[in-house]
Amino acid sequence: MKFEDLLLEIGGFGRFQILILAMLCLPRINLPMHFLLHNFLAATPSHHCAIPHQEAFVNLTAEEVLLISIPRKPDGTFSSCEMFSQPQFHLLLNSSLPPENKSIIQHCQHGWVYDHSQFTSTISTQWDLVCEQRGLNQATATFFFIGVTMGAMMFGYLSDRFGRKTMLQLSLVCSVAFGMLSAASVSYTMLAITRTLTGVALSGLSLIVLPLGMEWVDIQHRTFTGILSSIFWSVGNMLLALAAYLVREWHWLLVAVTGPCLLSILCMWWVPESARWLIAKGKVKQAHRHLLRCARMNGRKDFAVSPEALTSMATDKNMRGSYSYISLFRTPVLRKISLCSGVVWFGVAFSYYGMSLNLTGFGLSIYLSQFVFGIIEIPAKMVMYVLVNRVGRRPSQAWTLILTGVCIGANIVIPKSFTSLRSVVAVMGKGFSEAAFTTVFLYTSELYPTIVRQNGMGYTSFLARLGGALAPLVFLLDEVWRSLPEVTYCGVAVCSGAVAFLLPETLNARLPEGIEDIEKPQVKVPPEISAPEGVPLQALLK
């Protein structure tokens, strides 16, 4: 007997499953509020060198003081990182004149003055992470994603060994602790360390929430489950824009985005452990107890599968043995899946965060860009709900990645003056990018067997977070060539999309339980028996 058969007997998608998904959606909302927080936490407002003895220029306007103290860039704006060593009063007569001597231009000597009209404070203004220190500012996001990368490997292994729910609870508790410590940081070093540890903790949420939900639903509703979970990521995206708009001080913004984890901790006590995992580990009594609870809540009081029947499933040769990340590369088909899915995950995350962490490059305000980027993801996911069930997981994954790269590449050649067109193309690219991210979670959960599913998710998430860690650093390549970051994002997205064509299709296939289910040809369930019945799109809007 397969676990899908058990699910059908206890009502494969009833009140029990809906309640589980509702509980799991709460931490899903909180994830993007941390993953994309860098846009506001480390935002760099307009700034210029602090001018010494400015009070001496009492007869000059603020604009005239800047004119004689700060050199202009070729586009006519004042330099952010340079100043004159002595006032250039002759520029008051003709501002287009060059300085008397270029050697008097020097780097800022007395700190910087920031425009606080948009942000009360950020880590850039707190510790002057501008100009020569700009790299440290971008590195803040990298430190966070390095933590997520380490956490992916750690939680992937631990959740396969000790259980999904236990590791999810640990992840939430650590997320609250390290998030609050980040808000209390008194130095850049402390912030870098605590944000890295926050990334480690939050990786557990990112890694476990979707597979735990997927392991409790039947074949017909797997797509719906994946899309619904992903929609709540977009809700978190939009809430981040609102929180950042209302809270302009970086310490309190960190508190605001960390606080909701406390509610998730309370909700997780109700969420049951994965019965699939319990059976795979031979813990049939616990699995039987959860299955009975599910049957009662779904109105299936005639459920009569005994613990002995579950024991026979647990002792299946497919389910025996100890597994680790090495197991992902021992057999040929699983090895191919692991290599190709790793490339796809890297490309998905690299391009997604490349766009998401560049909110100032598309002609909209930073808050509006964040909100629009969040809201465009919802129709993108609606479309993916139809496509992954109609055309399949593989082509959907490949083409959404390729089209993401095409949109990024298009904005390289569209002139900066075409602000509206650039914004439209960027929003389209963000929609394709999120569609690719939505698909990859669902697709990967179906590719790996139960006994190594979290190991597989941990490995692919490791590569994704590596892409996320590198994405903000690529912005620094604009000093080599202004368009080099966009060219890099475009090339990686297109190439990883092409690799997705090498993966097997999982549409209508049972979730594999053991490695032998992967190595032998996948048996798809006949459409007349369990073809996706389709949930009306209106259901996603409820």
Side-chain angles (χ1 to χ4, degrees):
M1 177 183 288
K2 293 290 185 180
F3 191 81
E4 271 78 9
D5 301 322
L6 278 177
L7 281 177
L8 292 177
E9 291 191 30
I10 59 177
F13 194 81
R15 291 173 56 195
F16 184 81
Q17 282 79 9
I18 291 171
L19 194 53
I20 288 176
L21 295 180
M23 297 296 101
L24 292 177
C25 282
L26 292 174
R28 188 72 175 164
I29 290 174
N30 205 222
L31 276 174
M33 300 180 76
H34 272 280
F35 276 55
L36 302 177
L37 183 62
H38 179 80
N39 287 326
F40 307 99
L41 182 74
T44 303
S46 300
H47 56 280
H48 61 77
C49 297
I51 301 169
H53 313 299
Q54 186 170 349
E55 65 279 357
F57 306 118
V58 291
N59 296 324
L60 300 180
T61 65
E63 183 72 17
E64 288 173 335
V65 172
L66 288 177
L67 185 63
I68 65 174
S69 305
I70 307 295
R72 290 180 182 269
K73 295 187 288 188
D75 61 3
T77 59
F78 289 107
S79 173
S80 300
C81 302
E82 294 177 326
M83 62 182 294
F84 295 126
S85 61
Q86 51 188 290
Q88 302 293 292
F89 291 106
H90 70 284
L91 295 178
L92 294 173
L93 301 175
N94 186 349
S95 60
S96 61
L97 292 174
E100 294 177 345
N101 185 350
K102 289 188 177 182
S103 64
I104 64 174
I105 297 177
Q106 59 186 7
H107 293 296
C108 299
Q109 302 295 310
H110 309 280
W112 288 263
V113 174
Y114 298 94
D115 176 9
H116 293 288
S117 61
Q118 192 171 34
F119 303 99
T120 303
S121 73
T122 68
I123 64 170
S124 295
T125 63
Q126 175 99 19
W127 294 301
D128 289 331
L129 304 180
V130 294
C131 301
E132 293 87 353
Q133 300 298 313
R134 176 187 170 212
L136 286 178
N137 191 34
Q138 289 298 109
T140 310
T142 299
F143 289 141
F144 175 79
F145 283 109
I146 287 174
V148 177
T149 302
M150 295 186 297
M153 298 298 285
M154 182 177 74
F155 279 102
Y157 172 75
L158 293 178
S159 59
D160 262 344
R161 181 167 183 178
F162 298 108
R164 281 52 162 152
K165 179 180 177 178
T166 302
M167 289 300 106
L168 188 55
Q169 290 173 320
L170 176 63
S171 174
L172 281 166
V173 171
C174 291
S175 296
V176 171
F178 294 129
M180 293 303 180
L181 282 173
S182 296
S185 296
V186 295
S187 68
Y188 177 80
T189 302
M190 180 179 176
L191 178 74
I193 293 172
T194 53
R195 283 295 287 166
T196 302
L197 294 174
T198 304
V200 173
L202 286 168
S203 183
L205 298 187
S206 175
L207 196 64
I208 300 169
V209 166
L210 181 58
L212 178 55
M214 296 275 285
E215 290 179 354
W216 269 110
V217 301
D218 56 15
I219 294 175
Q220 292 94 328
H221 295 90
R222 284 209 310 254
T223 303
F224 174 74
T225 299
I227 300 297
L228 181 65
S229 176
S230 188
I231 282 177
F232 278 90
W233 170 283
S234 302
V235 173
N237 249 332
M238 292 182 282
L239 289 178
L240 173 60
L242 177 62
Y245 181 79
L246 296 175
V247 183
R248 306 295 182 95
E249 209 279 334
W250 73 268
H251 294 92
W252 289 109
L253 181 58
L254 264 168
V255 172
V257 300
T258 301
C261 285
L262 291 170
L263 179 59
S264 297
I265 291 173
L266 296 177
C267 294
M268 284 310 106
W269 289 108
W270 188 91
V271 175
E273 180 56 88
S274 167
R276 285 181 189 267
W277 178 82
L278 290 170
I279 293 172
K281 292 296 182 179
K283 301 180 180 182
V284 294
K285 289 185 179 179
Q286 294 180 47
H288 189 255
R289 186 168 63 250
H290 291 316
L291 291 170
L292 285 175
R293 177 183 168 196
C294 176
R296 285 195 300 269
M297 187 170 289
N298 288 346
R300 298 296 183 92
K301 297 180 180 179
D302 57 342
F303 176 68
V305 174
S306 65
E308 290 73 22
L310 300 182
T311 302
S312 66
M313 293 177 62
T315 55
D316 187 291
K317 64 179 180 179
N318 269 329
M319 313 296 281
R320 285 191 233 128
S322 177
Y323 300 93
S324 65
Y325 288 112
I326 298 175
S327 304
L328 302 177
F329 301 93
R330 280 179 177 158
T331 54
V333 176
L334 193 54
R335 184 187 310 118
K336 179 181 176 182
I337 289 173
S338 297
L339 292 174
C340 293
S341 60
V343 172
V344 171
W345 272 78
F346 180 90
V348 167
F350 187 76
S351 56
Y352 178 86
Y353 289 108
M355 298 195 72
S356 298
L357 297 177
N358 186 27
L359 297 184
T360 59
F362 305 113
L364 302 174
S365 79
I366 187 171
Y367 304 107
L368 184 58
S369 292
Q370 179 69 40
F371 185 82
V372 170
F373 275 12
I375 204 168
I376 193 62
E377 293 178 357
I378 295 179
K381 290 166 183 177
M382 300 274 189
V383 172
M384 293 314 297
Y385 176 77
V386 177
L387 288 181
V388 294
N389 272 339
R390 295 291 177 85
V391 303
R393 277 62 159 152
R394 178 172 56 193
S396 298
Q397 182 70 77
W399 283 110
T400 51
L401 260 176
I402 291 171
L403 290 173
T404 298
V406 169
C407 290
I408 296 174
N411 258 347
I412 298 174
V413 298
I414 297 175
K416 298 282 186 183
S417 57
F418 289 68
T419 305
S420 298
L421 179 59
R422 286 176 58 83
S423 297
V424 170
V425 173
V427 168
M428 288 176 58
K430 186 60 167 61
F432 286 126
S433 177
E434 178 55 35
F437 227 136
T438 299
T439 307
V440 79
F441 270 101
L442 170 67
Y443 194 14
T444 308
S445 294
E446 296 177 339
L447 284 170
Y448 286 104
T450 299
I451 54 175
V452 292
R453 182 166 295 123
Q454 289 295 160
N455 276 317
M457 294 295 288
Y459 154 73
T460 52
S461 185
F462 169 83
L463 292 175
R465 304 319 167 192
L466 185 60
L470 293 175
L473 295 182
V474 171
F475 291 128
L476 301 176
L477 295 178
D478 62 358
E479 296 179 359
V480 179
W481 174 35
R482 190 168 188 83
S483 298
L484 186 54
E486 288 80 8
V487 170
T488 306
Y489 296 130
C490 172
V492 171
V494 171
C495 292
S496 57
V499 171
F501 283 113
L502 301 176
L503 290 167
E505 181 58 71
T506 61
L507 178 61
N508 293 338
R510 294 181 184 273
L511 279 182
E513 304 292 347
I515 292 179
E516 286 192 6
D517 295 334
I518 289 290
E519 295 304 315
K520 65 185 180 183
Q522 285 274 5
V523 178
K524 296 195 176 182
V525 181
E528 63 272 14
I529 296 177
S530 62
E533 299 171 353
V535 176
L537 285 179
Q538 290 85 348
L540 289 173
L541 298 173
K542 292 183 180 177

XYZ file of all heavy atoms in Angstrom, residues 381-411:
239
model
N 1.442 33.635 -10.250
C 1.228 32.332 -9.627
C -0.101 31.719 -10.054
O -0.221 30.499 -10.166
C 1.298 32.480 -8.105
C 2.718 32.778 -7.643
C 2.789 33.252 -6.226
C 4.231 33.604 -5.881
N 4.398 34.136 -4.536
N -1.100 32.568 -10.290
C -2.379 32.070 -10.818
C -2.161 31.388 -12.165
O -2.697 30.311 -12.437
C -3.360 33.225 -10.974
C -3.669 33.965 -9.697
S -4.980 33.198 -8.771
C -5.256 34.442 -7.525
N -1.383 32.052 -13.008
C -1.094 31.497 -14.332
C -0.324 30.184 -14.192
O -0.602 29.200 -14.891
C -0.293 32.505 -15.186
C 0.174 31.868 -16.492
C -1.143 33.735 -15.483
N 0.632 30.150 -13.247
C 1.410 28.925 -13.062
C 0.547 27.785 -12.559
O 0.792 26.615 -12.877
C 2.561 29.174 -12.074
C 3.629 30.121 -12.588
S 4.149 29.753 -14.279
C 4.842 28.125 -14.068
N -0.484 28.093 -11.786
C -1.404 27.055 -11.306
C -2.017 26.300 -12.483
O -2.189 25.079 -12.447
C -2.499 27.704 -10.458
C -3.559 26.735 -9.993
C -3.304 25.865 -8.937
C -4.812 26.689 -10.597
C -4.276 24.976 -8.504
C -5.784 25.805 -10.169
C -5.513 24.953 -9.124
O -6.455 24.079 -8.701
N -2.344 27.048 -13.532
C -2.915 26.419 -14.731
C -1.831 25.725 -15.547
O -1.980 24.565 -15.953
C -3.639 27.475 -15.597
C -4.162 26.835 -16.889
C -4.778 28.113 -14.815
N -0.708 26.411 -15.744
C 0.327 25.882 -16.642
C 0.953 24.593 -16.132
O 1.160 23.650 -16.906
C 1.413 26.937 -16.855
C 1.036 28.133 -17.720
C 2.216 29.085 -17.859
C 0.571 27.683 -19.109
N 1.285 24.519 -14.852
C 1.969 23.320 -14.360
C 1.069 22.094 -14.423
O 1.547 20.963 -14.477
C 2.503 23.515 -12.921
C 3.586 24.565 -12.881
C 1.378 23.847 -11.949
N -0.255 22.322 -14.418
C -1.184 21.200 -14.555
C -1.517 20.877 -16.005
O -1.944 19.765 -16.305
C -2.486 21.493 -13.796
C -2.420 21.048 -12.348
O -1.607 20.194 -11.990
N -3.253 21.622 -11.508
N -1.352 21.855 -16.891
C -1.709 21.638 -18.293
C -0.487 21.252 -19.139
O -0.514 20.253 -19.863
C -2.357 22.909 -18.867
C -3.682 23.261 -18.223
C -4.775 22.269 -18.569
N -6.025 22.569 -17.901
C -6.944 23.422 -18.339
N -6.727 24.087 -19.472
N -8.050 23.634 -17.663
N 0.570 22.051 -19.061
C 1.747 21.789 -19.902
C 2.830 21.030 -19.153
O 3.773 20.521 -19.770
C 2.330 23.104 -20.480
C 1.285 23.853 -21.265
C 2.890 23.991 -19.369
N 2.729 20.960 -17.814
C 3.704 20.193 -17.044
C 4.672 21.058 -16.268
O 4.807 22.259 -16.504
N 5.370 20.400 -15.332
C 6.329 21.120 -14.486
C 7.586 21.527 -15.253
O 8.084 22.637 -15.112
C 6.750 20.228 -13.309
C 5.825 20.197 -12.120
C 4.465 19.671 -12.379
N 3.833 19.219 -11.133
C 2.526 19.219 -10.937
N 1.707 19.641 -11.878
N 2.024 18.782 -9.799
N 8.112 20.606 -16.054
C 9.399 20.855 -16.713
C 9.366 22.048 -17.672
O 10.194 22.962 -17.534
C 9.851 19.585 -17.433
C 11.166 19.750 -18.201
C 11.663 18.423 -18.713
N 10.670 17.763 -19.549
C 10.741 16.486 -19.924
N 11.753 15.740 -19.529
N 9.808 15.962 -20.693
N 8.453 22.099 -18.658
C 8.451 23.265 -19.545
C 8.111 24.561 -18.826
O 8.639 25.630 -19.178
C 7.390 22.910 -20.600
C 6.575 21.831 -19.999
C 7.475 21.083 -19.071
N 7.254 24.477 -17.812
C 6.923 25.690 -17.044
C 8.161 26.240 -16.346
O 8.417 27.453 -16.363
C 5.846 25.369 -16.002
O 4.653 24.930 -16.613
N 8.943 25.332 -15.744
C 10.164 25.754 -15.056
C 11.163 26.365 -16.025
O 11.750 27.423 -15.770
C 10.795 24.548 -14.355
C 12.044 24.870 -13.555
C 11.726 25.673 -12.315
O 11.256 25.148 -11.330
N 11.978 26.968 -12.364
N 11.355 25.704 -17.150
C 12.364 26.154 -18.111
C 12.013 27.514 -18.718
O 12.838 28.433 -18.734
C 12.524 25.105 -19.209
N 10.785 27.665 -19.190
C 10.438 28.878 -19.922
C 10.280 30.092 -19.014
O 10.576 31.219 -19.436
C 9.173 28.652 -20.750
C 9.460 27.862 -21.990
C 9.093 26.578 -22.275
C 10.246 28.308 -23.105
N 9.588 26.186 -23.492
C 10.300 27.230 -24.036
C 10.900 29.495 -23.426
C 10.981 27.327 -25.241
C 11.583 29.589 -24.627
C 11.618 28.522 -25.515
N 9.829 29.899 -17.784
C 9.753 31.060 -16.894
C 11.150 31.601 -16.590
O 11.344 32.826 -16.515
C 9.041 30.699 -15.578
O 9.630 29.511 -15.011
C 7.571 30.470 -15.802
N 12.129 30.712 -16.449
C 13.510 31.169 -16.228
C 14.070 31.876 -17.461
O 14.703 32.931 -17.359
C 14.392 29.972 -15.870
C 14.712 29.754 -14.386
C 15.508 28.478 -14.199
C 15.476 30.938 -13.827
N 13.847 31.290 -18.608
C 14.367 31.893 -19.844
C 13.750 33.272 -20.074
O 14.447 34.237 -20.429
C 14.107 30.955 -21.035
C 14.972 29.694 -20.910
C 14.396 31.663 -22.357
C 14.643 28.610 -21.918
N 12.437 33.390 -19.862
C 11.778 34.681 -20.063
C 12.205 35.710 -19.014
O 12.234 36.912 -19.298
C 10.265 34.490 -20.037
C 9.691 33.734 -21.246
C 8.210 33.442 -21.052
C 9.911 34.539 -22.521
N 12.561 35.250 -17.820
C 13.142 36.170 -16.831
C 14.422 36.788 -17.373
O 14.633 38.005 -17.302
C 13.450 35.423 -15.511
O 12.238 34.911 -14.958
C 14.111 36.348 -14.505
N 15.286 35.932 -17.935
C 16.529 36.425 -18.522
C 16.288 37.368 -19.681
O 16.984 38.381 -19.839
N 15.283 37.078 -20.500
C 14.961 37.937 -21.645
C 14.548 39.332 -21.165
O 14.975 40.347 -21.731
C 13.847 37.300 -22.500
C 13.316 38.301 -23.526
C 14.361 36.055 -23.205
N 13.729 39.403 -20.129
C 13.291 40.701 -19.604
C 14.455 41.489 -19.006
O 14.555 42.710 -19.196
C 12.196 40.498 -18.564
S 10.619 39.942 -19.241
N 15.327 40.801 -18.279
C 16.502 41.487 -17.727
C 17.379 42.009 -18.866
O 17.859 43.145 -18.830
C 17.317 40.538 -16.825
C 16.490 40.131 -15.602
C 18.614 41.205 -16.374
C 17.153 39.081 -14.729
N 17.573 41.180 -19.898
C 18.375 41.600 -21.038
C 17.754 42.759 -21.794
O 18.460 43.656 -22.278
N 16.414 42.782 -21.880
C 15.740 43.866 -22.599
C 15.995 45.212 -21.937
O 16.181 46.235 -22.617
C 14.240 43.587 -22.671
N 16.038 45.221 -20.608
C 16.256 46.493 -19.909
C 17.693 46.990 -20.032
O 17.992 48.120 -19.660
C 15.875 46.355 -18.430
C 14.518 46.970 -18.137
O 13.974 47.702 -18.949
N 13.971 46.677 -16.976
